[in-house]
Amino acid sequence: MNAPPVTWLYVPGDRPERFGKAVASGADVVIIDLEDAVAPVRKDEARRNAVAYLRARPESLGCQVHVRVNDPATARGRDDLAAVGELADAVRLPKVESTAVLEAVAGAPAYALLESAAGIVAAHEIAAHPTVAGVALGEQDLAAELSITDEQAMNHLRLQVVLAAAAAGLPPVPMSVYPDVKDEAGLLASCRTGRALGLFGRTAIHPRQIPVIRRAFRPGEEETARAAEIVAAAEEAERAGVGAVALPDGRFVDAPIVARARRTVALAHRLADPPHHPTDPQHHPTT
């Protein structure tokens, strides 16, 4: 499996002049949004913009381009899928509540957004569907539906989706958007809480959030050093033809711990030198 994305950046589909800026932001994935970020009267225009960009984009952008379509249970959502399904690197499906809507998805891999109580209840079945390449939470809609104001209650729902994704063999679940683009300290703390719950990476609504997200998910120096020690011991054991991996202090570690250590070292290397992410005052938030 390829390394999962760390940063995902939304860009409104009715603002095509921002598509190139989003791609240049350093995000791992750019999501052209045809849903919440676009007024109903401009949704057809947004779809045309997305199609035009996807057809004309260079072969190598340095990031993936996904499209969040409208509700696939509606005619507009089905039209969106028909238009971009063969062009986008993946499609993001909002308001998925059962596997029924997934049967009509063809072309690009699909990411199912769980944004309702029904979606959470069906999370395991949705995650296991062969069309689904990943799942994510739509936390603002979910919290509104359930009248949740306690972060601990939201953590319970997050863990359910983390478990569903892992059981289905999907990539880790990225965190939902953090709506206050000026609160970098709050974003950093929120990301670190999510990381402790098994979430990985985060969607952003402004380029200025990207370096903060990268920093939050970058392993710390002590964590990286411990992981490197485990990897070194595992490599020494392999060279010696020994199955058991012993650390210098005498502790033994098994294969899952070694695999996790390798991932930690690779992630630390990948995020060691974050690229420059210019803050574009014209790139306003989307949701």
Side-chain angles (χ1 to χ4, degrees), residues 113-135:
L113 304 183
L114 310 180
E115 305 180 89
S116 66
I120 297 297
V121 169
H124 285 268
E125 291 79 11
I126 292 168
H129 193 277
T131 299
V132 173
V135 293

Side-chain angles (χ1 to χ4, degrees), residues 7 9-10 21-22 25-27 178-185 187-188 204-215 275-285:
T7 52
L9 178 64
Y10 277 113
K21 295 176 182 179
S25 69
Y178 190 82
D180 188 344
V181 299
K182 295 183 179 180
D183 182 14
E184 294 189 357
L187 171 61
L188 184 66
I205 53 176
H206 195 288
R208 73 194 300 171
Q209 295 179 313
I210 291 173
V212 181
I213 295 169
R214 288 175 60 94
R215 186 162 73 249
H276 175 62
H277 302 276
T279 298
D280 176 10
Q282 298 304 312
H283 188 125
H284 299 291

Side-chain angles (χ1 to χ4, degrees), residues 141-153:
D141 288 351
L142 185 60
E145 179 185 342
L146 300 179
S147 300
I148 289 177
T149 58
D150 189 319
E151 193 70 13
Q152 292 304 312

Side-chain angles (χ1 to χ4, degrees), residues 13-14 33-34 38 42-51:
D14 60 346
D33 192 7
L34 307 184
V38 181
R42 303 191 68 176
K43 286 184 179 289
D44 289 342
E45 174 191 347
R47 183 195 299 145
R48 291 193 296 270
N49 292 338
V51 169

Side-chain angles (χ1 to χ4, degrees), residues 1-161:
M1 180 185 295
N2 293 330
V6 178
T7 52
W8 317 61
L9 178 64
Y10 277 113
V11 60
D14 60 346
R15 300 304 300 268
E17 73 279 6
R18 297 181 186 169
F19 294 175
K21 295 176 182 179
V23 167
S25 69
D28 298 318
V29 178
V30 167
I31 306 167
I32 300 176
D33 192 7
L34 307 184
E35 195 214 11
D36 284 352
V38 181
V41 296
R42 303 191 68 176
K43 286 184 179 289
D44 289 342
E45 174 191 347
R47 183 195 299 145
R48 291 193 296 270
N49 292 338
V51 169
Y53 179 78
L54 291 168
R55 284 178 173 165
R57 62 174 171 158
E59 289 187 9
S60 178
L61 287 176
C63 72
Q64 296 184 43
V65 179
H66 296 188
V67 177
R68 179 165 73 171
V69 300
N70 287 281
D71 185 347
T74 67
R76 184 179 295 278
R78 290 190 292 271
D79 288 345
D80 288 342
L81 285 171
V84 304
E86 300 291 343
L87 299 173
D89 294 317
V91 292
R92 295 175 74 82
L93 311 177
K95 302 176 177 62
V96 177
E97 296 187 335
S98 73
T99 58
V101 297
L102 301 172
E103 301 301 330
V105 178
Y111 284 78
L113 304 183
L114 310 180
E115 305 180 89
S116 66
I120 297 297
V121 169
H124 285 268
E125 291 79 11
I126 292 168
H129 193 277
T131 299
V132 173
V135 293
L137 273 166
E139 293 191 1
Q140 295 184 55
D141 288 351
L142 185 60
E145 179 185 342
L146 300 179
S147 300
I148 289 177
T149 58
D150 189 319
E151 193 70 13
Q152 292 304 312
M154 187 59 71
N155 284 345
H156 174 67
L157 300 177
R158 291 166 179 152
L159 284 170
Q160 290 190 54
V161 179

